[in-house]
Amino acid sequence: MKTILYIIQKEFKQIFRNKGMLPIIFVLPLLQLVILSNAATFEVKNIKFGYIDNDHTSTSRALVERFNASTYFDVLTDFPSEALSSSAMLKGEVDVVLEIPQYFERDLQNEKHNRLGVTINAIDGAAAGVMNVYVSQIIQRFNQQIKVDLLQPSDKHVQASNIDTIPLFWYNETLNYKTFMVPGILVLLVTMITLFLSGMNIVREKEIGTLEQINVTPIKKSQFIIGKLFPFWVLGMGLLTIGLIIAKLIFDVPMVGSLPLMYVYTSIYILVVLGIGLFISNFTETQQQAMFIAWFFTVIFILMSGLFTPIESMPEWAQIITEFNPIKYFVEVMRMVMLKGSGFMDILPQLSKTLLYALIMNGLAVWSYKKTT
């Protein structure tokens, strides 16, 4: 035990002695949490909106005013022709063009129906889908109001019927996208820092030649590995703590569930990441090699974790692969515990798989580490 404590003490001194590494460990992750949580959002705002008003009536102007009053649209200009609007969209000057047909108001009064033309820049398919929903909602609300306003005197006895829906939003009542993203970004930072540091740690010993000196000492392999990885386990838990504080103070993310349960799961998850880092370091000779390999797997794990896109939207073969993705389980648990208040039995499937993953990866890492005497 004393031997392990000496190695741990030596590792902490080595970490804090490296002045260039300290900002990477403590400052950059926190800046990334603040920046990425604001940047990583699927909310579409400041939509550049143009329109072609071929009717020029009070009804057509009222419809355009609905878009002007929306916080999502920036109404830029009235195009005199479809050719000019198409040219503007081609140049990227507008994102959405609404075409109001001639005799729009008259046809609504006489025939009780009409058609509008909406052109959306769909280079970004996801953003185009969101913009289409925004446009449809505004037009539907306008349509409900106009039914009442355009009733003829002979129709006054006919009461316009409407169905009102009262939505109830669970777990994210304000529909704030940061509430959904911050737990996932926190998972990303804890994973990246612990994986990169643990992956480069032993490789650095190889590069400076101290690993050979350690190998000829009576230190056992288990003692050496525990002593090398434990400091990064502590750093990972520390990053989680600081990240949770920032999530609460800056983003006001609700923490409905049990914090001890979150720490228990994180402590096991970090063992998975440390095992992967040690396994990578056993087969690399330079820190650059370790960094590239760790980054390669991290990008794949992140993109297939459900952090940014729903796993249910992926192809069936990709959903099967995600079952072997540890980041997926951490993202699920963080969101379940923080936002839903899930308990131990709720996260037991993710916890069991993560524990199995930790045993396998650390077993492979210890097996692949060769201590020569």
Side-chain angles (χ1 to χ4, degrees):
M1 188 64 184
K2 286 185 178 181
T3 303
I4 296 176
L5 292 176
Y6 280 126
I7 298 175
I8 293 174
Q9 184 180 9
K10 170 253 183 188
E11 287 300 317
F12 275 117
K13 288 183 178 179
Q14 186 170 315
I15 291 172
F16 289 100
R17 188 185 299 123
N18 190 342
K19 302 301 181 182
M21 187 63 68
L22 292 179
I24 297 177
I25 298 175
F26 297 105
V27 179
L28 289 184
L30 306 181
L31 291 177
Q32 289 174 339
L33 178 61
V34 174
I35 295 173
L36 288 178
S37 299
N38 286 282
T41 174
F42 287 139
E43 291 181 344
V44 182
K45 297 183 178 179
N46 301 318
I47 302 170
K48 292 175 287 187
F49 182 87
Y51 62 96
I52 306 171
D53 188 356
N54 296 313
D55 194 41
H56 299 289
T57 60
S58 59
T59 303
S60 64
R61 289 192 294 270
L63 176 58
V64 173
E65 187 59 32
R66 288 295 184 98
F67 286 93
N68 197 25
S70 172
T71 58
Y72 295 102
F73 292 92
D74 291 335
V75 178
L76 300 179
T77 183
D78 176 8
F79 294 103
S81 67
E82 185 178 351
L84 291 177
S85 67
S86 299
S87 176
M89 183 167 289
L90 183 63
K91 296 176 183 178
E93 296 174 355
V94 292
D95 300 316
V96 177
V97 175
L98 173 70
E99 183 175 0
I100 303 175
Q102 194 176 13
Y103 309 123
F104 175 66
E105 181 179 277
R106 187 194 68 181
D107 291 345
L108 280 177
Q109 290 176 338
N110 297 336
E111 302 178 14
K112 308 302 182 185
H113 71 86
N114 212 322
R115 294 183 178 181
L116 294 170
V118 179
T119 305
I120 300 175
N121 183 353
I123 289 181
D124 185 344
V130 174
M131 287 187 281
N132 182 46
V133 172
Y134 292 164
V135 172
S136 299
Q137 289 177 346
I138 291 177
I139 293 176
Q140 287 174 5
R141 288 196 295 267
F142 177 78
N143 184 44
Q144 293 175 354
Q145 180 62 38
I146 207 67
K147 284 181 179 179
V148 178
D149 296 341
L150 294 180
L151 283 176
Q152 299 293 332
S154 59
D155 298 330
K156 290 299 182 180
H157 65 280
V158 180
Q159 297 295 325
S161 59
N162 291 313
I163 299 177
D164 296 328
T165 60
I166 304 176
L168 180 62
F169 301 107
W170 286 11
Y171 314 128
N172 188 1
E173 296 180 0
T174 60
L175 300 182
N176 188 346
Y177 202 77
K178 297 183 182 67
T179 301
F180 175 72
M181 287 304 302
V182 169
I185 298 296
L186 184 55
V187 168
L188 172 62
L189 297 179
V190 172
T191 302
M192 292 179 61
I193 296 301
T194 52
L195 178 60
F196 290 160
L197 292 179
S198 62
M200 293 187 298
N201 185 256
I202 294 181
V203 179
R204 184 173 182 273
E205 300 278 7
K206 291 181 183 179
E207 288 184 337
I208 63 180
T210 54
L211 185 61
E212 295 179 357
Q213 300 174 15
I214 294 176
N215 282 339
V216 297
T217 63
I219 298 176
K220 298 179 180 179
K221 182 165 67 172
S222 59
Q223 295 173 333
F224 175 71
I225 292 175
I226 294 174
K228 293 290 284 184
L229 296 185
F230 182 77
F232 300 110
W233 183 88
V234 174
L235 288 176
M237 299 297 287
L239 282 174
L240 175 68
T241 303
I242 299 174
L244 290 175
I245 295 174
I246 291 179
K248 188 62 179 178
L249 295 181
I250 297 181
F251 300 105
D252 195 25
V253 177
M255 298 182 186
V256 183
S258 169
L259 286 179
L261 179 61
M262 196 183 307
Y263 275 95
V264 168
Y265 180 86
T266 305
S267 64
I268 298 175
Y269 171 79
I270 294 178
L271 293 178
V272 176
V273 178
L274 295 178
I276 296 174
L278 177 60
F279 187 73
I280 292 173
S281 66
N282 291 339
F283 295 95
T284 53
E285 298 298 328
T286 65
Q287 294 184 70
Q288 189 177 38
Q289 290 178 353
M291 176 70 78
F292 278 130
I293 295 175
W295 178 251
F296 172 79
F297 285 104
T298 301
V299 170
I300 296 177
F301 284 159
I302 292 172
L303 294 179
M304 302 187 70
S305 66
L307 175 58
F308 298 107
T309 56
I311 295 177
E312 294 78 9
S313 302
M314 300 179 185
E316 187 175 351
W317 61 266
Q319 296 185 37
I320 296 174
I321 294 177
T322 59
E323 294 298 318
F324 303 94
N325 184 356
I327 299 182
K328 166 196 171 183
Y329 301 120
F330 195 13
V331 172
E332 289 178 351
V333 168
M334 287 290 287
R335 287 171 174 167
M336 288 171 65
V337 176
M338 290 181 66
L339 306 182
K340 293 183 178 181
S342 300
F344 177 79
M345 295 305 298
D346 298 315
I347 69 168
L348 185 58
Q350 291 88 347
L351 182 63
S352 303
K353 294 176 182 178
T354 304
L355 181 58
L356 178 62
Y357 213 123
L359 294 174
I360 293 174
M361 289 309 306
N362 283 276
L364 289 174
V366 172
W367 170 79
S368 62
Y369 175 75
K370 307 297 181 183
K371 183 180 185 300
T372 57
T373 56

